[in-house]
Amino acid sequence: MLAATDISNPGYSVLFALLLFIGASVWLGTLAQKAMEKKEFLKGFFLGNRGLGAWALALTATVQSGGTFMGFPALVYSHGWIVLLWIGSYMVVPLLSFAVVGKRLAQLSRMTDSFTVPDLLRERFADPRVGLISSIMIITFMSFTMFAQFKAGATIMKHAWPGSGVLALSEDYEPNAAEKAESKDGSASTSAKSASKPIDRKYYVGLVVFTVTVVGYTLIGGFLASVWTDLFQSVMMVIGVTILVCLAVPMAGGLEQATKTAIANTSPDIAFGPGYSTIGRDFLTPGLALSMFFIWIFGGFVSPASMVRVMAAESTEVMRKSICLLSCYNCLIYIPLVMTCIAARTMLPHLDKPDEVIPRMSMLVTEGLPFGPFISGLILAAPFGAIMASVSCFILVISSGLVQDIYVRFLHPAATEAQVRRATNVSMISVGLIAVIANLDPPQYLQALVVLSASGGGAAFTIPVLMACYWRRTTAAGMLAGMLVGFCFYFGLSVAGWIQNWASAAPEGSALAQSVIHFLGPDPKIGVPGLFRPYYILGIDPMVWSLFVSAIAGIGTSLVTKPPSEEHVSRFFDVAVAK
Amino acid sequence: MPDIQELPLLKSAKREAMVALGIWLAATIYSLGYCFQYGYGRDPESLTYVLGFPDWVFWGLVMPWGACTVLASVFAFCFMKDEELPQSVQ
């Protein structure tokens, strides 16, 4: 039975909720524009005049992209309780995000009067190369991460269209059900052929609507618009998750019963490490669990997006409050999400696509409630909001890099404010256009670049940023070495993994594939499946190794190069006190 | 004659960074240690439940998660020092 024909089906309410989100974001964008008027353009637009309060900082500095909120529930559904260990280091992420480099970055960024990370590093070492290299790296990494978000945003819009895809279909939906149903009325020949085309058109419409909205409100309101919409969606997210867990767990007969039912429906593996798996891979071996406790921490606090927001914090008091707020927020998001997805194994024991667990659960548990479709629409709109918020943040960091670090620093140092403003508009619109073009027909290797840029950024920046903040002896050459070696090592291990994957999948007789496997070893059968699994030395993720290598390269190079001038370093480290 | 001293913010930031990294290290060792011991390779029959969570999830993850949240709040309100941030030059 198709529910798509029913006027009150979730499709309309999801579309309605999305439009509500879009409307609210544009409204926040115009508010933000008013808030930053009559201030210096660049600092106001890209840094909100350093006036972020505690709520804005806490809920926007480290919250992950929308993909996390769709991918994470799918992992729990597929592998079970062990995923709470996978995400376990989030218990200390808020503390580490603000307490390790937060205060010092805020101080350095004010001392150097800089509002982008490359600008800060450039001034700190008085070396344009450091600025240029870090700028190119940040722009590249963030671009790839952002392009994938566009696709996710467009896909959600496509599904929200009433009557298309799973979100609008009732529980007994199965792939091709629409075509099967129609073939019974004898109209199959025409509809089956055209079935793929309108869906694609919806994807393009979704892509364009998504891009115009996000680029639009970011262009209008700049940094503050980005932060405020992010805050708005974070609050919606926690409300959605709370409603969901309060309805889902009792429906499954309580948490203990939910686990027992999940075990009965799958296997005892779902309640233990290394996790339930239907494809013979160990999801979370002890080595990978250890890796995750490094990856979330050290990939998080130096991500350019979160460093920029820390730089925008109003005061250190704001940072302190943010630690507390974000700690509580994480508790309310991750543990309930895991509980919900364990309960999902009771109500929806065998989903073909685990990605759909949250959309389906939210429709299922709100069924029969007053305003049920509307509530589920809001829950479903939350990931969409998360995607919008992170894209808008990425657009800002990328265009601030293009404008400040490339245009103002290298191409046109004497630019007037009107020219800078025009350059900003041009760069943001071009970023949007490029993203649309890249997503018209995304190549498969895009996914590899996304994974690579997300963790590669952490591998490249963690150690250099720590050195820049706290170590007097750091030299510009040491910074460059730390960044480049960290990234290249990560890149090398990733490529080795892809080659290993290729060799494992190659036909038996291939001599080249045999020698590759002989050299690299067989597929270790750990982690998530996929073409772009990296190479694990000793079962540890490449990110951890890259951090060590980056530290050795950065510290070693600093020690063998000429120490920076005492006068320059003193500017950032010392204060003169009258005796 | 003025005396040259380390910036006060730098001093407190260093100390706070060390303590934060210490908390991270402790949380990592405890959580991973507990979960490796009781969450891996266990006889499914021996599983008990605490507040509905499997026992190793509760003691290895939920409990330290709560403890870290409390600790982070104590850190934020009782340990971390407020410092004046410099005004932007110009």
Side-chain angles (χ1 to χ4, degrees):
Chain A
M1 185 200 83
L2 286 176
T5 48
D6 181 5
I7 191 73
S8 68
N9 80 66
Y12 284 100
S13 52
V14 173
L15 190 65
F16 179 67
L18 287 195
L19 292 178
L20 207 68
F21 256 74
I22 290 178
S25 308
V26 174
W27 177 65
L28 286 171
T30 52
L31 277 190
Q33 190 188 25
K34 282 195 190 117
M36 66 169 188
E37 259 171 15
K38 294 177 205 151
K39 297 270 171 66
E40 196 193 339
F41 172 70
L42 274 177
K43 224 182 284 169
F45 192 80
F46 287 122
L47 212 50
N49 295 313
R50 303 192 200 275
L52 281 198
W55 280 92
L57 183 64
L59 297 191
T60 67
T62 62
V63 170
Q64 303 284 311
S65 63
T68 313
F69 286 101
M70 295 196 293
F72 175 70
L75 282 180
V76 182
Y77 184 82
S78 307
H79 304 293
W81 277 110
I82 194 68
V83 180
L84 199 58
L85 180 61
W86 183 81
I87 199 81
S89 58
Y90 265 68
M91 64 176 85
V92 283
V93 158
L95 179 61
L96 281 270
S97 313
F98 298 114
V100 175
V101 288
K103 263 160 88 168
R104 181 72 172 140
L105 272 184
Q107 184 188 40
L108 283 177
S109 101
R110 281 166 170 81
M111 282 177 150
T112 54
D113 199 35
S114 53
F115 56 86
T116 69
V117 175
D119 213 19
L120 189 158
L121 295 179
R122 176 187 189 277
E123 290 291 310
R124 162 74 177 79
F125 294 98
D127 190 325
R129 288 172 307 169
V130 177
L132 188 64
I133 299 274
S134 55
S135 185
I136 291 174
M137 286 173 101
I138 287 177
I139 292 174
T140 322
F141 292 157
M142 297 212 86
S143 301
F144 286 123
T145 320
M146 186 188 69
F147 289 161
Q149 301 278 318
F150 273 84
K151 188 182 174 202
T155 311
I156 292 193
M157 285 226 79
K158 182 184 99 178
H159 283 309
W161 214 259
S164 70
V166 63
L167 296 190
L169 292 166
S170 69
E171 186 40 38
D172 54 349
Y173 172 80
E174 46 180 313
N176 303 325
E179 285 164 39
K180 274 185 204 160
E182 284 179 39
S183 66
K184 280 175 195 155
D185 333 316
S187 60
S189 53
T190 48
S191 65
K193 271 180 202 160
S194 57
S196 61
K197 223 181 166 191
I199 299 279
D200 283 349
R201 205 184 304 143
K202 279 174 196 158
Y203 172 77
Y204 296 134
V205 171
L207 186 60
V208 170
V209 171
F210 176 81
T211 310
V212 168
T213 316
V214 178
V215 174
Y217 79 72
T218 315
L219 207 55
I220 299 172
F223 182 78
L224 281 184
S226 160
V227 168
W228 287 353
T229 50
D230 205 346
L231 179 62
F232 171 65
Q233 67 83 11
S234 302
V235 173
M236 292 309 294
M237 185 81 76
V238 76
I239 295 174
V241 168
T242 309
I243 296 176
L244 207 50
V245 72
C246 291
L247 293 172
V249 172
M251 269 178 92
L255 194 55
E256 180 172 338
Q257 188 53 45
T259 309
K260 286 180 175 158
T261 317
I263 291 176
N265 284 340
T266 56
S267 95
D269 291 348
I270 203 153
F272 298 101
Y276 175 63
S277 171
T278 48
I279 45 167
R281 271 182 179 278
D282 288 341
F283 169 67
L284 197 74
T285 57
L288 290 182
L290 175 71
S291 309
M292 294 319 292
F293 272 76
F294 282 82
I295 291 177
W296 292 129
I297 302 290
F298 296 104
F301 72 77
V302 296
S303 88
S306 69
M307 284 199 280
V308 164
R309 291 182 178 192
V310 167
M311 280 156 58
E314 193 189 0
S315 63
T316 55
E317 188 192 342
V318 161
M319 275 180 219
R320 291 193 295 113
K321 287 181 182 158
S322 296
I323 293 179
C324 179
L325 281 172
L326 186 60
S327 299
C328 298
Y329 185 83
N330 279 358
C331 269
L332 290 177
I333 288 282
Y334 290 101
I335 298 176
L337 264 182
V338 172
M339 290 157 66
T340 305
C341 296
I342 293 290
R345 278 282 183 185
T346 305
M347 282 91 95
L348 306 162
H350 301 291
L351 280 180
D352 283 337
K353 295 183 184 160
D355 284 340
E356 292 165 1
V357 57
I358 290 294
R360 278 169 175 268
M361 281 298 281
S362 60
M363 276 185 284
L364 190 70
V365 299
T366 54
E367 228 171 33
L369 287 181
F371 303 109
F374 183 70
I375 296 174
S376 75
L378 279 183
I379 296 174
L380 294 181
F384 181 74
I387 293 170
M388 286 211 298
S390 49
V391 165
S392 120
C393 169
F394 289 157
I395 292 182
L396 269 176
V397 175
I398 292 170
S399 58
S400 73
L402 290 172
V403 172
Q404 171 70 5
D405 304 326
I406 310 278
Y407 179 73
V408 175
R409 288 292 187 189
F410 284 91
L411 300 179
H412 195 173
T416 63
E417 184 161 317
Q419 281 171 321
V420 171
R421 200 183 284 250
R422 203 179 315 133
T424 309
N425 292 348
V426 169
S427 69
M428 288 175 95
I429 294 172
S430 339
V431 168
L433 281 179
I434 295 171
V436 169
I437 295 167
N439 278 293
L440 285 181
D441 188 15
Q444 202 195 4
Y445 60 79
L446 193 66
Q447 188 53 36
L449 294 175
V450 171
V451 175
L452 193 66
S453 5
S455 315
F461 287 113
T462 304
I463 302 294
V465 165
L466 282 175
M467 287 177 11
C469 284
Y470 294 117
W471 195 35
R472 285 168 168 266
R473 182 67 176 76
T474 314
T475 64
M479 285 295 284
L480 289 172
M483 289 193 283
L484 292 174
V485 171
F487 174 69
C488 291
F489 195 77
Y490 186 83
F491 185 71
L493 286 180
S494 300
V495 171
W498 304 342
I499 294 175
Q500 187 190 30
N501 265 337
W502 164 82
S504 314
E508 277 294 311
S510 166
L512 182 60
Q514 288 298 320
S515 59
V516 167
I517 291 186
H518 181 71
F519 183 68
L520 291 176
D523 183 345
K525 296 277 179 205
I526 58 174
V528 287
L531 215 50
F532 302 115
R533 181 184 50 77
Y535 185 66
Y536 302 110
I537 302 177
L538 302 177
I540 305 274
D541 193 272
M543 164 102 172
V544 181
W545 298 115
S546 308
L547 286 176
F548 283 115
V549 175
S550 166
I552 293 168
I555 295 171
T557 312
S558 286
L559 287 176
V560 297
T561 43
K562 191 168 151 282
S565 89
E566 192 49 42
E567 190 192 352
H568 179 74
V569 175
S570 189
R571 213 186 117 202
F572 301 108
F573 281 81
D574 296 324
V575 64
V577 193
K579 255 184 185 167
Chain B
M1 184 179 159
D3 195 15
I4 302 293
Q5 275 186 5
E6 198 170 47
L7 288 163
L9 183 146
L10 184 61
K11 216 183 273 172
S12 67
K14 265 185 193 164
R15 198 182 58 198
E16 286 153 16
M18 296 310 278
V19 172
L21 287 171
I23 294 177
W24 164 72
L25 194 67
T28 304
I29 292 173
Y30 172 79
S31 269
L32 287 177
Y34 196 96
C35 292
F36 290 167
Q37 185 69 31
Y38 298 103
Y40 283 76
R42 173 122 168 239
D43 173 19
E45 292 302 310
S46 67
L47 188 66
T48 57
Y49 293 88
V50 183
L51 299 177
F53 294 93
D55 50 9
W56 66 272
V57 172
F58 185 83
W59 294 115
L61 290 162
V62 177
M63 197 277 293
W65 200 309
C68 281
T69 304
V70 173
L71 208 57
S73 310
V74 171
F75 182 97
F77 290 116
C78 305
F79 178 71
M80 193 165 157
K81 222 174 133 196
D82 269 334
E83 303 279 356
E84 197 156 330
L85 293 169
Q87 294 298 310
S88 294
V89 274
Q90 268 185 6

